[in-house]
Amino acid sequence: MRLVVVGNGMAGARLVSEVRARDRHVKITVFGAEAWQPYNRVLLSNVVAGTSRPDQVRLLGPRWHAEHNVTAHLGVEVTAIDRDARTVVAADGTREPYDVLVLATGSEPVIPAIPGVERATAFRTLDDCDRIREAAASARSAVVIGGGLLGIEAARGLAGRGVPVTLLHVRDHLMERQLDAEAGLILRETLGSLGVAIRTGVTVTAVRERHVELAGEELVDADLVVVACGVRPVVGLARDAGLEVERGVVVDDELRTDDPSIFAVGECAQHAGRVYGLVAPAWEQASVLADLLTGADKGARYRGSRLVTRLKAKSVELAAMGETHLTDEEAEIVRFSHRHKGTYRKLVIRDGRLVGAILLGETSAVGTLTQLFDRGGPLPGDRTGLLFPGVGAAATADNPTRMPDSARVCQCNNVTKGQIRACWESGARDVEAVAAATRATTGCGGCRDAVEGIVGWLCEQEGVSA
């Protein structure tokens, strides 16, 4: 089988590695529009902040493709699909035939149509990070436009470099899709204490040479402007080829498009009317498709994902999942708020089951809540134990003795405590060794403390050094 993958980002790279892990003989060719080896976009705020180097966020090593007999065209964009000839055409003139084609073209940043926006820099790629870091070196002030995940991560990264930064958001509170108003307020105060000035409910009308203009002609100083107003699926290639496209490339439970030879995964794919913008669903899709393409599991199907959003910004702990905006009239709401400490915890329960949660300021309970959210199982009667690990009966990642082996520790890579234990018993005595064997910690990085806790606990039990 000749497999061609268009896209070398988090979805495409994972698919290629999953296929090769299952079958050494599939002929694999991958095209990546970026010249970089595949890297983890989730950790780009660390690159902006200077706490990680570009080589530290790579998903695959520099020689991985050659060592695994994969032909990689890096920095080469595919410009057309000839479905009749089953061939892709690249910008450098390459024509690559395929038996199976997988589109993993990802997303592109949404750039608002305002005067002067070309002076701003998007926050999406490693090249964007290079431009931001270069400008930040001499910037006396910076503005980030957009108060969603990307905007907050960009602003926190710039503040970490010592640049005075103002985040501007058109909505009334930050991350309005995931958070309620109170959580948004506490997040705002937390970021403020870390050096990020925040203005909500404001509209940017223009980007000038050294400032940003707001509605009402107010000016905000800015030597550097970063745009983080969301992303949209890259679907032009699929649309030009005549594939069914709505918001994303429409796929079924096998991740197959309306052309039986063409599949799509990741942020460009639309499954059951939904486009996912997070890494965990992309990796779940890659695993299912690798099973199908190699025959490892011909019954594998993708049934959709239940999302857990994690904010990846230094000194800010935040996790949100499910239906967080239901009211007391619509569901049972259990909440705890301590603004002075920057803590907010909320459970949304319907018919005795967890349908949503917000954890801000301290997220040790996220492992337990994620399992309950995923499985839809009945909750313990003691709700307090869910909000405050160690007080009630909830098992948490901070207390490995009470975690069942089936507990999912790494949400991004679906790694359980039992898998970490087995890995440790096979000789992995530190987090890096566990990560190499299981991929735990290599997604959003939010599970690193939990993995460290489990490894440390196992070493302590056996009296060995971690």
Side-chain angles (χ1 to χ4, degrees), residues 4 9 46 100 136 144 150 153 168 181 212 224 237 300-301 311 343 370 377 391 415 419 437 447 451 457 460:
V4 172
N46 294 343
V100 172
V144 175
L150 286 177
E153 289 170 5
L168 305 175
V212 167
L224 166 62
L237 188 65
R301 296 293 184 271
L311 178 62
T343 300
T370 298
V391 174
V415 181
Q419 290 171 300
C447 65
V451 175
W457 169 70
E460 182 181 337

Side-chain angles (χ1 to χ4, degrees), residues 363-434:
T363 58
S364 62
V366 69
T368 297
L369 296 180
T370 298
Q371 294 173 59
L372 293 169
F373 175 65
D374 278 346
R375 298 172 183 172
L379 300 183
D382 178 15
R383 313 298 203 215
T384 304
L386 296 173
L387 284 182
F388 299 96
V391 174
T396 73
D398 276 359
N399 189 349
T401 61
R402 297 166 60 194
M403 289 179 70
D405 276 354
S406 60
R408 186 187 301 184
V409 177
C410 177
Q411 178 76 15
C412 296
N413 290 287
N414 195 26
V415 181
T416 65
K417 176 195 171 185
Q419 290 171 300
I420 294 172
R421 181 201 292 273
C423 184
W424 186 89
E425 291 173 348
S426 297
R429 291 296 190 261
D430 56 32
V431 174
E432 285 65 33
V434 170

Side-chain angles (χ1 to χ4, degrees), residues 10-11 25 28 65 95 97 107 122 168 177 180 222 295 321 354 419:
M10 297 185 76
H25 305 294
I28 304 175
H65 291 107
R95 298 182 64 88
S107 295
L168 305 175
R177 292 184 180 179
D180 60 22
M321 61 194 81
L354 186 70
Q419 290 171 300

Side-chain angles (χ1 to χ4, degrees), residues 1-20:
M1 179 176 68
R2 298 170 299 179
L3 170 63
V4 172
V5 180
V6 179
N8 194 35
M10 297 185 76
R14 174 57 68 97
L15 174 68
V16 168
S17 63
E18 293 272 7
V19 169
R20 183 54 81 225

